[in-house]
Amino acid sequence: MQRVGFLLSPGFQVTTLAVLSVFEGADFRAGELRYNVRMISKDGGPVRSSSGLMVETEKFRDPKFDTLIVCGNILLEMRGSDPAVVEFVRSAAKVSRRTASVCTGAFVLGDAGLLDGRRATTHWGHAQNFKARFPNVTLDEDRIFIVDGNIWTSAGGTAGIDLALAMVEEDAGADVARYVAKLLVVYHRRSGGQFQRSALLELEPKSDRIQSALAFVKKNLNSTISVEQLASVANLSTRHFSRAFQSETGLSPAKAIEKLRIEAARLMIEEGRHSIETVAKETGFADRERMRRAFVRALGQSPQEFRRRTRSETSA
């Protein structure tokens, strides 16, 4: 039986608890308890999450685990890592097969010196602070998870599911990992990076009029869309609409349309069922060359390169 330590600290994020379902699913498939998951903390007893949920834990003592997972905590950047927790994690990494973090748990691994000279990831929203604090770490903020030797790091809370599925695959094989993914109704291997967050949400318009215009764009991506059309949808003059749109989204209407088209095209390419020409037509780029230029500007790679990378990561 593999001993898995799940390290919590006050202010932990509830979403990271979803990782437990992966190990539970693997046990269910095996018909026996193969993962002995222990909820641990510095002092033991109940630990309060950032949302107020209390979880009962054991006081950490023996640092030897098959796998130690440090869960994300929204207070880590403000308060810094607890020295006792850092020392425990450092000790555990010397005697455990795998040491991992979910979300901002990477800050603890960084403070323990476990990421120096390694590649790692963390939640995209904390990437800049992480880079400043740990200049000796090669941070790839557009990865769902990264494995570098026996150190595993993942992005935001739900990315811990992807990380745990990869662990189960390493332990029990791809068939078991696929079964667990199906059981949890998630992707076995999620392609792309954590920047797959919604472009529509990222624009964050404040007024209903601009939101309506963006919704119109989303529904009509495969058509020619003019600023005059969007102004009409928003019930504003063209000049007033352009100023309001730029003020609320930080982008011109043309740039926002391109951003949404790139997102739609990327998702179609990840699905793998359409030719590049079809993707360009269906997402309003009209031709593959225009889409290629947009991809290179936004992603630093062509649609063909993006497709190759997606297929490579999916088959890895």
Side-chain angles (χ1 to χ4, degrees):
M1 185 183 299
Q2 297 182 25
R3 187 166 176 254
V4 179
F6 203 71
L7 180 55
L8 305 179
S9 55
F12 76 90
Q13 294 158 290
V14 172
T15 51
T16 58
L17 296 179
V19 174
L20 302 175
S21 299
V22 175
F23 298 116
E24 181 184 23
D27 287 343
F28 183 79
R29 169 64 185 267
E32 61 181 355
L33 193 65
R34 291 189 173 179
Y35 291 101
N36 178 18
V37 180
R38 318 302 299 180
M39 309 296 282
I40 60 174
S41 66
K42 184 181 77 168
D43 299 317
V47 177
R48 184 183 297 276
S49 73
S50 59
S51 62
L53 176 72
M54 304 289 285
V55 173
E56 192 65 32
T57 66
E58 305 170 14
K59 183 175 181 177
F60 58 57
R61 293 185 176 86
D62 181 4
K64 188 174 183 179
F65 291 88
D66 178 82
T67 303
L68 177 67
I69 301 175
V70 181
C71 105
N73 189 314
I74 61 174
L75 302 178
L76 280 173
E77 283 187 277
M78 293 183 287
R79 298 179 180 175
S81 303
D82 187 305
V85 172
V86 170
E87 184 53 40
F88 177 81
V89 171
R90 187 181 292 122
S91 298
K94 295 176 181 178
V95 293
S96 300
R97 181 164 69 100
R98 295 182 296 220
T99 304
S101 64
V102 177
C103 194
T104 53
F107 281 78
V108 178
L109 270 57
D111 285 331
L114 302 180
L115 301 180
D116 288 349
R118 294 182 184 268
R119 293 173 61 246
T121 192
T122 189
H123 190 286
W124 62 267
H126 302 273
Q128 294 308 310
N129 188 17
F130 187 94
K131 289 177 181 178
R133 279 180 58 177
F134 306 110
N136 295 325
V137 181
T138 301
L139 185 75
D140 188 341
E141 57 191 285
D142 191 26
R143 292 297 299 273
I144 300 297
F145 68 90
I146 287 176
V147 182
D148 190 331
N150 65 338
I151 304 296
W152 300 52
T153 54
S154 73
T158 58
I161 296 175
D162 301 83
L163 177 140
L165 283 169
M167 289 180 173
V168 167
E169 180 166 339
E170 181 177 81
D171 297 340
D175 287 345
V176 174
R178 277 193 291 267
Y179 172 85
V180 176
K182 185 176 181 180
L183 191 68
L184 299 179
V185 198
V186 297
Y187 288 110
H188 171 210
R189 294 193 185 99
R190 188 167 21 150
S191 61
Q194 56 176 315
F195 288 133
Q196 57 194 331
R197 58 191 186 272
S198 170
L200 194 61
L201 292 177
E202 197 174 79
L203 291 171
E204 294 183 340
K206 299 177 177 61
S207 69
D208 291 342
R209 290 184 175 186
I210 303 302
Q211 286 176 355
S212 296
L214 283 170
F216 178 86
V217 173
K218 193 80 169 178
K219 291 178 182 178
N220 297 277
L221 280 178
N222 61 347
S223 304
T224 300
I225 302 171
S226 68
V227 175
E228 289 76 17
Q229 277 180 295
L230 297 181
S232 178
V233 170
N235 198 27
L236 294 169
S237 68
T238 302
R239 174 186 272 184
H240 188 185
F241 171 78
S242 296
R243 285 201 304 264
F245 193 98
Q246 179 84 40
S247 174
E248 292 191 27
T249 67
L251 296 175
S252 68
K255 286 294 184 183
I257 291 171
E258 180 177 281
K259 189 179 185 74
L260 291 169
R261 281 183 168 144
I262 290 170
E263 177 182 60
R266 181 181 51 72
L267 292 173
M268 286 184 70
I269 291 172
E270 286 179 355
E271 288 175 2
R273 296 185 293 109
H274 311 281
S275 68
I276 296 298
E277 290 80 2
T278 299
V279 173
K281 181 179 179 181
E282 290 298 317
T283 55
F285 282 110
D287 61 69
R288 58 187 295 163
E289 177 56 25
R290 193 171 299 175
M291 184 169 74
R292 187 195 68 79
R293 292 196 298 268
F295 262 63
V296 171
R297 280 195 299 271
L299 306 178
Q301 57 187 324
S302 69
Q304 290 86 350
E305 290 169 331
F306 181 80
R307 169 162 281 173
R308 284 194 293 270
R309 174 186 167 185
T310 297
R311 287 175 175 171
S312 174
E313 290 180 350
T314 302
S315 61

